[in-house]
Structures are given as structure tokens and as C-alpha cells.
Amino acid sequence: QVRLVESGGGSVETGGSLRLSCTASEYTSLPGSMGWYRQAPGKEREGVANIYPRNGAKHYNPAVLGRFTISLNDAKNVVYLQMNSLKIEDTGTYYCAATPPGGGAWTYWGQGTQVFVSS
């Protein structure tokens, strides 16, 4: 079991920045992967970025590559999403997610945090 709690959402103008945080707890082994998904109004949930705690490898949705950065703290229990040069199309609910230690499906989800980008 992994409990994920997000924070850091808010409203920002186009071109601005936000940093999301996700604190993981109640687990006995590191998740295989931790990441961020988002869901815009009327659209399907999509992957934004993920990171593998054991080796630090990262993957990004091409739509955010070069603007967003995913990272972990030293204790590997907080995953961050630094979002720069925000666009209106980045608006949505951002969810933190984690897989079991062996990888596989995104089994654990946070409650979501809202990001709103205005012109």
C-alpha cells in the first residue's frame, strides 16, 4: 500500500511556473515508478512524466518536454514536478501515481491537485 498526497496546485498566468509535490507514505518498499498524470476538462487522463526511484531514469510526455522537470528528494519519498513556461493547455487536475515495487500498472493514486493557467 502507498499513500500519495499532492500539493502545490494553483492559478497562474501563461508563461508562469508552479511546482507540484507528492509525498508518499505507508509503503515498505520503494515504488517501481512514480509519476504525474493530468486530466483536462472533457479529456482523458494522460501521463505527464515519471521517474524510476532506483535508477533515476525519467520519461516525459513530448508536450511538456523542456518545460517540466520531475525529480525526487534524497529520501525518495517526495516527487516533484517543476512546471515552467505554462500554457493554457496545461490546465487540468494533476495526479500523482505510483506502481508497486516490481513495476506494472499505476496502482496507487493521489487525490489530485488543480492547475489553472490563464491568459
Side-chain angles (χ1 to χ4, degrees), residues 1-6 22-27 31 34 77 96 98 108-111:
Q1 183 69 27
V2 181
R3 182 169 183 257
L4 303 171
V5 179
E6 304 103 331
C22 171
T23 301
S25 60
E26 300 179 13
Y27 60 92
M34 298 180 72
N77 67 330
C96 180
Y108 309 105
W109 293 87
Q111 80 285 356

PDB file of all heavy atoms in Angstrom, residues 1-6 22-27 31 34 77 96 98 108-111:
ATOM      1  N   GLN A   1       0.841  -1.188   0.000  1.00  0.00           N
ATOM      2  CA  GLN A   1       0.000   0.000   0.000  1.00  0.00           C
ATOM      3  C   GLN A   1       0.880   1.242   0.000  1.00  0.00           C
ATOM      4  O   GLN A   1       1.878   1.289   0.729  1.00  0.00           O
ATOM      5  CB  GLN A   1      -0.906  -0.003   1.229  1.00  0.00           C
ATOM      6  CG  GLN A   1      -1.877   1.154   1.284  1.00  0.00           C
ATOM      7  CD  GLN A   1      -2.954   1.078   0.223  1.00  0.00           C
ATOM      8  OE1 GLN A   1      -3.287  -0.020  -0.226  1.00  0.00           O
ATOM      9  NE2 GLN A   1      -3.464   2.197  -0.201  1.00  0.00           N
ATOM     10  N   VAL A   2       0.530   2.229  -0.803  1.00  0.00           N
ATOM     11  CA  VAL A   2       1.245   3.503  -0.867  1.00  0.00           C
ATOM     12  C   VAL A   2       0.212   4.617  -0.777  1.00  0.00           C
ATOM     13  O   VAL A   2      -0.772   4.624  -1.520  1.00  0.00           O
ATOM     14  CB  VAL A   2       2.039   3.654  -2.181  1.00  0.00           C
ATOM     15  CG1 VAL A   2       2.793   4.980  -2.191  1.00  0.00           C
ATOM     16  CG2 VAL A   2       3.009   2.497  -2.370  1.00  0.00           C
ATOM     17  N   ARG A   3       0.421   5.523   0.123  1.00  0.00           N
ATOM     18  CA  ARG A   3      -0.447   6.696   0.231  1.00  0.00           C
ATOM     19  C   ARG A   3       0.262   7.870  -0.410  1.00  0.00           C
ATOM     20  O   ARG A   3       1.432   8.136  -0.121  1.00  0.00           O
ATOM     21  CB  ARG A   3      -0.761   7.004   1.687  1.00  0.00           C
ATOM     22  CG  ARG A   3      -1.705   8.180   1.883  1.00  0.00           C
ATOM     23  CD  ARG A   3      -2.177   8.258   3.323  1.00  0.00           C
ATOM     24  NE  ARG A   3      -3.127   9.342   3.520  1.00  0.00           N
ATOM     25  CZ  ARG A   3      -2.823  10.506   4.086  1.00  0.00           C
ATOM     26  NH1 ARG A   3      -1.598  10.735   4.517  1.00  0.00           N
ATOM     27  NH2 ARG A   3      -3.752  11.429   4.223  1.00  0.00           N
ATOM     28  N   LEU A   4      -0.440   8.570  -1.300  1.00  0.00           N
ATOM     29  CA  LEU A   4       0.124   9.696  -2.035  1.00  0.00           C
ATOM     30  C   LEU A   4      -0.697  10.945  -1.770  1.00  0.00           C
ATOM     31  O   LEU A   4      -1.922  10.923  -1.911  1.00  0.00           O
ATOM     32  CB  LEU A   4       0.126   9.395  -3.533  1.00  0.00           C
ATOM     33  CG  LEU A   4       0.880   8.130  -3.979  1.00  0.00           C
ATOM     34  CD1 LEU A   4       0.611   7.842  -5.444  1.00  0.00           C
ATOM     35  CD2 LEU A   4       2.354   8.285  -3.720  1.00  0.00           C
ATOM     36  N   VAL A   5      -0.029  12.013  -1.415  1.00  0.00           N
ATOM     37  CA  VAL A   5      -0.710  13.272  -1.142  1.00  0.00           C
ATOM     38  C   VAL A   5      -0.033  14.379  -1.936  1.00  0.00           C
ATOM     39  O   VAL A   5       1.155  14.651  -1.746  1.00  0.00           O
ATOM     40  CB  VAL A   5      -0.692  13.620   0.357  1.00  0.00           C
ATOM     41  CG1 VAL A   5      -1.385  14.962   0.588  1.00  0.00           C
ATOM     42  CG2 VAL A   5      -1.376  12.523   1.170  1.00  0.00           C
ATOM     43  N   GLU A   6      -0.798  15.019  -2.828  1.00  0.00           N
ATOM     44  CA  GLU A   6      -0.261  16.092  -3.666  1.00  0.00           C
ATOM     45  C   GLU A   6      -0.481  17.452  -3.021  1.00  0.00           C
ATOM     46  O   GLU A   6      -1.410  17.636  -2.234  1.00  0.00           O
ATOM     47  CB  GLU A   6      -0.922  16.107  -5.055  1.00  0.00           C
ATOM     48  CG  GLU A   6      -0.842  14.823  -5.842  1.00  0.00           C
ATOM     49  CD  GLU A   6      -2.131  14.055  -5.817  1.00  0.00           C
ATOM     50  OE1 GLU A   6      -2.875  14.184  -4.826  1.00  0.00           O
ATOM     51  OE2 GLU A   6      -2.406  13.314  -6.788  1.00  0.00           O
ATOM     52  N   CYS A  22       4.460  15.675  -4.244  1.00  0.00           N
ATOM     53  CA  CYS A  22       3.683  14.483  -3.903  1.00  0.00           C
ATOM     54  C   CYS A  22       4.475  13.706  -2.861  1.00  0.00           C
ATOM     55  O   CYS A  22       5.594  13.258  -3.133  1.00  0.00           O
ATOM     56  CB  CYS A  22       3.438  13.624  -5.134  1.00  0.00           C
ATOM     57  SG  CYS A  22       2.712  12.006  -4.775  1.00  0.00           S
ATOM     58  N   THR A  23       3.887  13.579  -1.686  1.00  0.00           N
ATOM     59  CA  THR A  23       4.543  12.848  -0.608  1.00  0.00           C
ATOM     60  C   THR A  23       3.981  11.440  -0.526  1.00  0.00           C
ATOM     61  O   THR A  23       2.759  11.259  -0.417  1.00  0.00           O
ATOM     62  CB  THR A  23       4.355  13.566   0.730  1.00  0.00           C
ATOM     63  OG1 THR A  23       4.905  14.884   0.623  1.00  0.00           O
ATOM     64  CG2 THR A  23       5.051  12.820   1.844  1.00  0.00           C
ATOM     65  N   ALA A  24       4.874  10.470  -0.574  1.00  0.00           N
ATOM     66  CA  ALA A  24       4.481   9.068  -0.494  1.00  0.00           C
ATOM     67  C   ALA A  24       4.732   8.540   0.910  1.00  0.00           C
ATOM     68  O   ALA A  24       5.752   8.851   1.527  1.00  0.00           O
ATOM     69  CB  ALA A  24       5.269   8.238  -1.509  1.00  0.00           C
ATOM     70  N   SER A  25       3.804   7.749   1.414  1.00  0.00           N
ATOM     71  CA  SER A  25       3.962   7.189   2.755  1.00  0.00           C
ATOM     72  C   SER A  25       3.276   5.827   2.810  1.00  0.00           C
ATOM     73  O   SER A  25       2.603   5.405   1.875  1.00  0.00           O
ATOM     74  CB  SER A  25       3.378   8.126   3.811  1.00  0.00           C
ATOM     75  OG  SER A  25       1.999   8.336   3.593  1.00  0.00           O
ATOM     76  N   GLU A  26       3.441   5.170   3.922  1.00  0.00           N
ATOM     77  CA  GLU A  26       2.803   3.889   4.213  1.00  0.00           C
ATOM     78  C   GLU A  26       3.246   2.784   3.270  1.00  0.00           C
ATOM     79  O   GLU A  26       2.467   1.883   2.958  1.00  0.00           O
ATOM     80  CB  GLU A  26       1.271   4.023   4.197  1.00  0.00           C
ATOM     81  CG  GLU A  26       0.765   5.019   5.222  1.00  0.00           C
ATOM     82  CD  GLU A  26      -0.745   5.186   5.205  1.00  0.00           C
ATOM     83  OE1 GLU A  26      -1.429   4.361   4.564  1.00  0.00           O
ATOM     84  OE2 GLU A  26      -1.241   6.140   5.817  1.00  0.00           O
ATOM     85  N   TYR A  27       4.471   2.854   2.788  1.00  0.00           N
ATOM     86  CA  TYR A  27       4.972   1.774   1.957  1.00  0.00           C
ATOM     87  C   TYR A  27       6.200   1.168   2.618  1.00  0.00           C
ATOM     88  O   TYR A  27       6.896   1.827   3.383  1.00  0.00           O
ATOM     89  CB  TYR A  27       5.326   2.266   0.544  1.00  0.00           C
ATOM     90  CG  TYR A  27       6.396   3.338   0.492  1.00  0.00           C
ATOM     91  CD1 TYR A  27       7.732   3.002   0.336  1.00  0.00           C
ATOM     92  CD2 TYR A  27       6.052   4.680   0.576  1.00  0.00           C
ATOM     93  CE1 TYR A  27       8.702   3.981   0.287  1.00  0.00           C
ATOM     94  CE2 TYR A  27       7.011   5.664   0.531  1.00  0.00           C
ATOM     95  CZ  TYR A  27       8.336   5.311   0.380  1.00  0.00           C
ATOM     96  OH  TYR A  27       9.309   6.275   0.321  1.00  0.00           O
ATOM     97  N   PRO A  31       8.379   2.278  -4.550  1.00  0.00           N
ATOM     98  CA  PRO A  31       7.618   2.000  -5.764  1.00  0.00           C
ATOM     99  C   PRO A  31       8.561   1.794  -6.945  1.00  0.00           C
ATOM    100  O   PRO A  31       9.656   2.343  -6.981  1.00  0.00           O
ATOM    101  CB  PRO A  31       6.777   3.262  -5.950  1.00  0.00           C
ATOM    102  CG  PRO A  31       6.671   3.857  -4.582  1.00  0.00           C
ATOM    103  CD  PRO A  31       7.979   3.545  -3.927  1.00  0.00           C
ATOM    104  N   MET A  34       7.322   6.342 -10.056  1.00  0.00           N
ATOM    105  CA  MET A  34       6.419   7.377  -9.551  1.00  0.00           C
ATOM    106  C   MET A  34       6.248   8.418 -10.649  1.00  0.00           C
ATOM    107  O   MET A  34       7.193   8.687 -11.406  1.00  0.00           O
ATOM    108  CB  MET A  34       6.982   8.020  -8.287  1.00  0.00           C
ATOM    109  CG  MET A  34       7.155   7.039  -7.144  1.00  0.00           C
ATOM    110  SD  MET A  34       7.815   7.796  -5.649  1.00  0.00           S
ATOM    111  CE  MET A  34       6.386   8.747  -5.116  1.00  0.00           C
ATOM    112  N   ASN A  77      10.975   9.934  -1.065  1.00  0.00           N
ATOM    113  CA  ASN A  77       9.579   9.813  -0.677  1.00  0.00           C
ATOM    114  C   ASN A  77       8.746  11.015  -1.104  1.00  0.00           C
ATOM    115  O   ASN A  77       7.553  11.072  -0.824  1.00  0.00           O
ATOM    116  CB  ASN A  77       9.454   9.616   0.833  1.00  0.00           C
ATOM    117  CG  ASN A  77       9.881  10.831   1.619  1.00  0.00           C
ATOM    118  OD1 ASN A  77      10.742  11.589   1.182  1.00  0.00           O
ATOM    119  ND2 ASN A  77       9.291  11.014   2.786  1.00  0.00           N
ATOM    120  N   CYS A  96      -0.735  12.448  -8.771  1.00  0.00           N
ATOM    121  CA  CYS A  96       0.470  11.686  -8.511  1.00  0.00           C
ATOM    122  C   CYS A  96       0.106  10.211  -8.546  1.00  0.00           C
ATOM    123  O   CYS A  96      -0.993   9.827  -8.109  1.00  0.00           O
ATOM    124  CB  CYS A  96       1.018  12.078  -7.153  1.00  0.00           C
ATOM    125  SG  CYS A  96       2.524  11.237  -6.665  1.00  0.00           S
ATOM    126  N   ALA A  98       1.821   5.932  -8.481  1.00  0.00           N
ATOM    127  CA  ALA A  98       2.963   5.059  -8.204  1.00  0.00           C
ATOM    128  C   ALA A  98       2.608   3.625  -8.581  1.00  0.00           C
ATOM    129  O   ALA A  98       1.436   3.228  -8.537  1.00  0.00           O
ATOM    130  CB  ALA A  98       3.358   5.143  -6.729  1.00  0.00           C
ATOM    131  N   TYR A 108      -1.435   3.046  -7.442  1.00  0.00           N
ATOM    132  CA  TYR A 108      -1.685   3.973  -6.344  1.00  0.00           C
ATOM    133  C   TYR A 108      -1.809   5.393  -6.894  1.00  0.00           C
ATOM    134  O   TYR A 108      -0.992   5.823  -7.714  1.00  0.00           O
ATOM    135  CB  TYR A 108      -0.551   3.896  -5.322  1.00  0.00           C
ATOM    136  CG  TYR A 108      -0.267   2.490  -4.887  1.00  0.00           C
ATOM    137  CD1 TYR A 108       0.856   1.809  -5.345  1.00  0.00           C
ATOM    138  CD2 TYR A 108      -1.143   1.812  -4.038  1.00  0.00           C
ATOM    139  CE1 TYR A 108       1.108   0.505  -4.974  1.00  0.00           C
ATOM    140  CE2 TYR A 108      -0.905   0.503  -3.660  1.00  0.00           C
ATOM    141  CZ  TYR A 108       0.221  -0.142  -4.132  1.00  0.00           C
ATOM    142  OH  TYR A 108       0.457  -1.436  -3.769  1.00  0.00           O
ATOM    143  N   TRP A 109      -2.845   6.097  -6.396  1.00  0.00           N
ATOM    144  CA  TRP A 109      -3.135   7.427  -6.909  1.00  0.00           C
ATOM    145  C   TRP A 109      -3.380   8.392  -5.770  1.00  0.00           C
ATOM    146  O   TRP A 109      -3.954   8.031  -4.730  1.00  0.00           O
ATOM    147  CB  TRP A 109      -4.377   7.391  -7.799  1.00  0.00           C
ATOM    148  CG  TRP A 109      -4.171   6.616  -9.065  1.00  0.00           C
ATOM    149  CD1 TRP A 109      -4.338   5.267  -9.238  1.00  0.00           C
ATOM    150  CD2 TRP A 109      -3.754   7.140 -10.318  1.00  0.00           C
ATOM    151  NE1 TRP A 109      -4.040   4.926 -10.542  1.00  0.00           N
ATOM    152  CE2 TRP A 109      -3.693   6.060 -11.228  1.00  0.00           C
ATOM    153  CE3 TRP A 109      -3.431   8.410 -10.786  1.00  0.00           C
ATOM    154  CZ2 TRP A 109      -3.309   6.214 -12.567  1.00  0.00           C
ATOM    155  CZ3 TRP A 109      -3.057   8.576 -12.112  1.00  0.00           C
ATOM    156  CH2 TRP A 109      -2.999   7.476 -12.985  1.00  0.00           C
ATOM    157  N   GLY A 110      -2.968   9.639  -5.976  1.00  0.00           N
ATOM    158  CA  GLY A 110      -3.316  10.702  -5.061  1.00  0.00           C
ATOM    159  C   GLY A 110      -4.688  11.247  -5.391  1.00  0.00           C
ATOM    160  O   GLY A 110      -5.336  10.808  -6.353  1.00  0.00           O
ATOM    161  N   GLN A 111      -5.094  12.239  -4.634  1.00  0.00           N
ATOM    162  CA  GLN A 111      -6.440  12.792  -4.797  1.00  0.00           C
ATOM    163  C   GLN A 111      -6.505  13.842  -5.894  1.00  0.00           C
ATOM    164  O   GLN A 111      -7.590  14.220  -6.313  1.00  0.00           O
ATOM    165  CB  GLN A 111      -6.922  13.399  -3.466  1.00  0.00           C
ATOM    166  CG  GLN A 111      -6.385  14.789  -3.153  1.00  0.00           C
ATOM    167  CD  GLN A 111      -4.929  14.801  -2.713  1.00  0.00           C
ATOM    168  OE1 GLN A 111      -4.289  13.767  -2.557  1.00  0.00           O
ATOM    169  NE2 GLN A 111      -4.394  15.986  -2.491  1.00  0.00           N
TER     170      GLN A 111
END
